[in-house]
Amino acid sequence: MGKTLFDKVWDSHVIEKIKDGPDVLFIDKHFIHEVTSPVAFVGLKNRNLKVMYPQKTYATADHNTPTINQHLPIKDRLSAIQVKTLEKNCNEHGINFWGLGHKKNGIVHVIGPENGITQPGLTIVCGDSHTSTHGAFGAIAFGIGTSEVEMVLACQTIMQQKPMKMKINVEGKLSANVTPKDVAIYIISKLSSSGATGYFVEYAGSVFKDMSMEGRMTVCNLSIEMGARGGMIAPDEKTYNYIEGREYAPKDAEWMKAVNYWTTLMTDKDAIFDKEYNFKAENIEPMITYGTNPGMAIPISKSIPKANKSESKLSYKKALDYMEFSEGDKMIGKKIDYVFLGSCTNGRIEDFRTFASVIKGRKKSNTVDAWLVPGSHKVLKSIKDEGILDILIESGFKLREPGCSACLAMNDDKIPKGKYAVSTTNRNFEGRQGPGARTLLASPLVAAVTAITGEITDPRDII
Amino acid sequence: MAYDKFKILKSTAVPLNIDNVDTDQIIPARFLKATERKRFGDNLFRDWRYSSDNSLIKSFPLNNKKYNGKILVAGKNFGCGSSREHAVWAIYDYGFRAVVSSFFADIFKNNCLNIGVLPVQITESFLSEVFIEIDRNSRNMFEINLKNQEFKITSSSIKERFKISTYKKSNMSNGFDDIDYLINKKDQISAFANKLKY
Ligand code: SF4
């Protein structure tokens, strides 16, 4: 029987299979950040252990960091200590550290790919669930807990049971103004926020073939929101072109060798998945969420549906009460207070280009606060170099400095209680963007048109 | 880090009959700023336990005196969302040793097993029975027997088996973790690293 892409990468990293237990899996690349790593380092210290392969770990400060005046000391005392602790731990163990102000600093899932660290066929982990982003390159990438961060630091391995395999096919051509974010939210709305739990997903079909690397990252990023451990897409010419020439990419003879190997990384024709879904591109519209998990999403032109049977009535009501929405409400025209462009889902240069293309020649609504946060310093630099910053300023927008920002509201960027935010991020959980904040997930296009009109707007009506 | 050995747990239970409880509810991000694992239990379900002026929300089960115990019983898809192990630390530090649900999110389940909180997955119908049982009498006892992989309503002796791998079961019952296992494998790991493709 043939192997899937996932099998090929996973099996080639198994050091040992434990009977009725997990596989011991070798990890090629490990990313850490200030929030989920400190306790792992304490663990190492308590056991008197060293980091086994410090050069395979890369550290950035992103979750906790301010997005204004980054050159000044961090005001929040606890955040400052956490970032300092990361730096100290990295120095002590010889780990690559890209702290605040470093030109390679940024959100962990943005900087991996843009520096060429993320490559096909690798196993990549990080104490962060959206590590699934890196799967866009044909790597197996997933989030781990802090105990596992400690394992990777100590032994460059983790112990996990091999997940089941799911294939999601989307064939056809996307309509105008339907973006990769819409494709991902559409899939989650069909499968629910737990529909892929226990599985590792491979995305296949013409829609993903035609998609840019940035778009593929957005899709793989959101895999975790339907419960999947991760998602991946077979590497192709686009993947190689993206990686080639980046700082950590293989060079010369190594490059040839790598590409030769990468071309073998595809699912065999006779391989079998545990589950398969097929969707048509033509059925996908611009999407938006109305509830408190990413599965509670609908096409933007539709009204809020009745509770379906997979969701208990009580939980459904709790979600709508939190949002202060009712069954049957139309989404279009709802007043919005905040627009957030950024995060590891939609904080890459392509997202800023999209946003800028819409707002160019138009003005920001006076009733909306817009927070635009680049995913990294490299993205920030491109925004300036490409003239996007001028377009933003011209239309009344301001740009912040890179970081996770209001995606999880660990720093000062919190959406105030009761306010509505159209956000390009990945989670609309209660309080995710600040205590009492109400999040509606959507694409950068929807974010842009909403920032102009001050209410939920269908991009197809404006563009 | 070694944790308490898990053998048989007999306890009353705290009900949380809500589906899709995500890790941002279990512990909101603003409480993740610690650099040591201390006092996370204080902020377990913070925004459901306390209003913004820090007053107790009486209707929340954890604030209801009639409910207590070492077992948390929750609606399906418990622990979805982020990979933060802080969520499980908060549950453990608060005093729970087991979480019972009809469905767990993946990373959360792994995190539980790694620090000694037993995730007990039972069928949806049995879960509703358990909720009814707690509702009927909050002093009702439940028994989790790890060796036999059984979860029992003691008043009626109705029970259901749950799954756990042999490896994790032995870890849980001995208070071992994966690093205890991996440390002895370092030669094998470095030999493997040396022959990787590129
Ligand atoms: S941007 Fe949001 S989802 Fe991404 S790593 Fe940061 S906090 Fe997590």
Side-chain angles (χ1 to χ4, degrees):
Chain A
M1 195 179 68
K3 283 184 160 201
T4 66
L5 164 63
F6 176 76
D7 289 326
K8 289 181 186 177
V9 181
W10 181 280
D11 296 350
S12 67
H13 286 82
V14 173
I15 299 181
E16 181 191 359
K17 279 186 158 332
I18 296 172
K19 198 167 164 276
D20 192 21
D23 291 350
V24 178
L25 194 71
F26 187 82
I27 300 302
D28 294 309
K29 304 283 176 200
H30 182 209
F31 294 101
I32 58 173
H33 59 80
E34 74 276 23
V35 178
T36 56
S37 67
V39 173
F41 283 103
V42 173
L44 285 187
K45 196 164 188 185
N46 290 343
R47 297 185 206 241
N48 212 358
L49 292 173
K50 286 208 172 62
V51 177
M52 190 174 183
Y53 291 107
Q55 286 307 309
K56 292 186 190 291
T57 294
Y58 303 81
T60 181
D62 55 359
H63 281 63
N64 237 330
T65 51
T67 55
I68 301 176
N69 288 330
Q70 284 188 351
H71 60 286
L72 301 176
I74 302 177
K75 278 206 210 100
D76 183 290
R77 195 180 61 90
L78 293 176
S79 300
I81 294 175
Q82 220 172 33
V83 173
K84 210 66 240 126
T85 304
L86 178 66
E87 181 174 6
K88 192 182 119 275
N89 286 331
C90 289
N91 289 342
E92 202 173 307
H93 293 277
I95 291 168
N96 310 286
F97 174 68
W98 303 339
L100 220 52
H102 194 287
K103 66 178 193 300
K104 282 190 255 194
N105 172 265
I107 303 173
V108 57
H109 312 308
V110 176
I111 62 172
E114 73 184 6
N115 286 294
I117 300 166
T118 303
Q119 296 166 21
L122 299 180
T123 49
I124 301 174
V125 294
C126 171
D128 189 285
S129 55
H130 293 99
T131 308
S132 59
T133 313
H134 308 259
F137 292 79
I140 288 183
F142 54 89
I144 56 176
T146 297
S147 296
E148 290 168 308
V149 172
E150 190 182 333
M151 286 178 219
V152 180
L153 291 171
C155 308
Q156 205 59 39
T157 45
I158 55 167
M159 300 180 70
Q160 286 213 357
Q161 213 122 20
K162 190 175 178 183
M164 293 179 286
K165 290 160 287 179
M166 178 185 286
K167 184 175 177 182
I168 298 179
N169 256 306
V170 188
E171 294 287 353
K173 250 190 134 38
L174 293 174
S175 317
N177 297 320
V178 175
T179 69
K181 179 68 165 284
D182 301 306
V183 175
I185 296 187
Y186 175 84
I187 296 171
I188 301 166
S189 75
K190 292 290 171 198
L191 268 70
S192 89
S193 63
S194 59
T197 303
Y199 293 89
F200 210 99
V201 176
E202 180 177 345
Y203 298 97
S206 53
V207 162
F208 304 109
K209 275 204 194 81
D210 294 345
M211 213 175 256
S212 67
M213 287 313 293
E214 281 85 355
R216 292 178 188 180
M217 285 187 246
T218 301
V219 169
C220 289
N221 173 282
L222 287 159
S223 306
I224 181 79
E225 304 310 334
M226 50 189 178
R229 186 69 59 80
M232 64 201 301
I233 295 173
D236 58 12
E237 283 298 322
K238 245 184 229 173
T239 320
Y240 316 149
N241 289 340
Y242 181 99
I243 299 170
E244 192 170 15
R246 293 187 190 255
E247 187 174 340
Y248 289 81
K251 306 268 151 48
D252 309 321
E254 284 299 307
W255 172 257
M256 296 309 294
K257 201 171 131 203
V259 174
N260 272 336
Y261 169 53
W262 296 344
T263 52
T264 67
L265 296 176
M266 60 182 74
T267 292
D268 297 332
K269 284 215 169 56
D270 54 343
I272 294 174
F273 289 85
D274 299 288
K275 212 172 214 172
E276 282 196 44
Y277 287 96
N278 289 291
F279 299 109
K280 284 204 186 76
E282 290 73 21
N283 293 339
I284 307 177
E285 293 179 51
M287 301 288 291
I288 194 158
T289 64
Y290 59 87
T292 55
N293 74 57
M296 301 176 83
I298 43 173
I300 194 164
S301 60
K302 297 279 169 9
S303 308
I304 296 177
K306 291 211 161 61
N308 65 17
K309 50 182 181 323
S310 75
E311 201 114 27
S312 89
K313 281 232 162 59
L314 204 74
S315 306
Y316 192 77
K317 185 174 176 308
K318 188 174 186 306
L320 290 193
D321 285 352
Y322 181 84
M323 296 299 290
E324 266 192 47
F325 288 162
S326 310
E327 288 179 15
D329 279 7
K330 268 202 142 347
M331 297 307 288
I332 299 283
K334 280 189 183 295
K335 287 266 170 291
I336 292 301
D337 310 294
Y338 284 80
V339 165
F340 180 75
L341 174 69
S343 87
C344 59
T345 310
N346 284 123
R348 282 172 285 270
I349 186 62
E350 192 179 81
D351 303 308
F352 280 83
R353 285 184 196 133
T354 304
F355 191 91
S357 71
V358 176
I359 58 134
K360 189 172 183 179
R362 297 186 166 105
K363 285 276 180 242
K364 181 182 86 65
S365 158
N366 285 331
T367 59
V368 164
D369 269 316
W371 294 347
L372 316 183
V373 185
S376 70
H377 279 274
K378 284 214 160 118
V379 174
L380 175 62
K381 186 171 183 303
S382 305
I383 289 173
K384 290 179 179 165
D385 292 351
E386 293 182 17
I388 293 174
L389 182 59
D390 301 329
I391 299 173
L392 295 174
I393 291 171
E394 182 76 14
S395 300
F397 291 90
K398 282 193 209 119
L399 191 64
R400 290 180 173 237
E401 291 167 282
C404 294
S405 180
C407 176
L408 92 165
M410 254 191 102
N411 65 356
D412 290 338
D413 307 348
K414 294 177 174 61
I415 308 291
K417 188 171 180 213
K419 298 290 182 195
Y420 291 92
V422 163
S423 179
T424 66
T425 55
N426 39 55
R427 287 187 176 139
N428 50 346
F429 298 152
E430 282 184 31
R432 167 78 177 185
Q433 296 198 282
R438 298 172 172 141
T439 301
L440 298 96
L441 302 175
S443 72
L445 267 188
V446 172
V449 290
T450 301
I452 289 160
T453 61
E455 54 186 47
I456 297 178
T457 305
D458 190 331
R460 293 167 298 187
D461 292 343
I462 286 208
I463 305 165
Chain B
M1 195 175 80
Y3 44 80
D4 305 348
K5 297 175 183 178
F6 198 112
K7 305 277 183 200
I8 289 176
L9 177 64
K10 242 183 162 170
S11 169
T12 49
V14 179
L16 188 62
N17 196 354
I18 302 170
D19 295 345
N20 300 317
V21 173
D22 59 78
T23 52
D24 277 89
Q25 310 317 317
I26 300 175
I27 187 153
R30 59 188 193 282
F31 300 114
L32 308 183
K33 296 191 181 191
T35 48
E36 286 172 86
R37 187 186 148 182
K38 274 191 189 140
R39 300 181 63 91
F40 280 102
D42 295 352
N43 295 315
L44 174 67
F45 296 115
R46 178 77 201 193
D47 293 339
W48 285 353
R49 262 163 81 196
Y50 301 95
S51 335
S52 41
D53 60 3
N54 282 332
S55 60
L56 278 187
I57 299 174
K58 295 237 170 57
S59 58
F60 189 65
L62 264 68
N63 293 336
N64 188 334
K65 292 223 170 56
K66 74 177 190 191
Y67 300 125
N68 51 43
K70 295 186 169 179
I71 302 172
L72 178 67
V73 182
K76 74 168 175 222
N77 197 26
F78 189 75
C80 58
S82 95
S83 62
R84 61 186 71 157
E85 200 165 295
H86 311 68
V88 194
W89 298 339
I91 288 172
Y92 189 102
D93 294 352
Y94 186 86
F96 293 115
R97 288 295 170 271
V99 185
V100 177
S101 177
S102 58
F103 198 83
F104 290 98
D106 249 353
I107 302 180
F108 178 83
K109 194 172 180 177
N110 275 330
N111 287 344
C112 281
L113 289 164
N114 281 336
I115 72 148
V117 171
L118 185 66
V120 177
Q121 187 161 331
I122 56 178
T123 60
E124 222 158 295
S125 57
F126 195 45
L127 181 68
S128 344
E129 247 176 85
V130 172
F131 278 126
I132 291 170
E133 205 59 34
I134 302 173
D135 209 32
R136 218 169 42 80
N137 178 1
S138 60
R139 305 315 306 152
N140 269 338
M141 300 288 281
F142 300 88
E143 185 182 309
I144 299 170
N145 182 320
L146 178 59
K147 184 157 167 275
N148 299 340
Q149 299 175 220
E150 280 170 357
F151 178 70
K152 184 162 85 183
I153 305 176
T154 50
S155 62
S156 59
S157 282
I158 301 175
K159 57 189 173 189
E160 204 176 272
R161 268 179 73 82
F162 60 87
K163 281 192 192 145
I164 182 169
S165 76
T166 313
Y167 168 82
K168 283 291 180 192
K169 184 165 152 179
S170 120
N171 268 4
M172 284 288 295
S173 46
N174 293 305
F176 293 158
D177 68 11
D178 289 351
I179 295 190
D180 297 327
Y181 182 89
L182 290 171
I183 285 230
N184 299 314
K185 300 269 163 185
K186 280 205 163 170
D187 291 344
Q188 211 177 325
I189 295 168
S190 54
F192 187 90
N194 292 335
K195 65 174 190 21
L196 272 177
K197 283 206 173 64
Y198 78 96

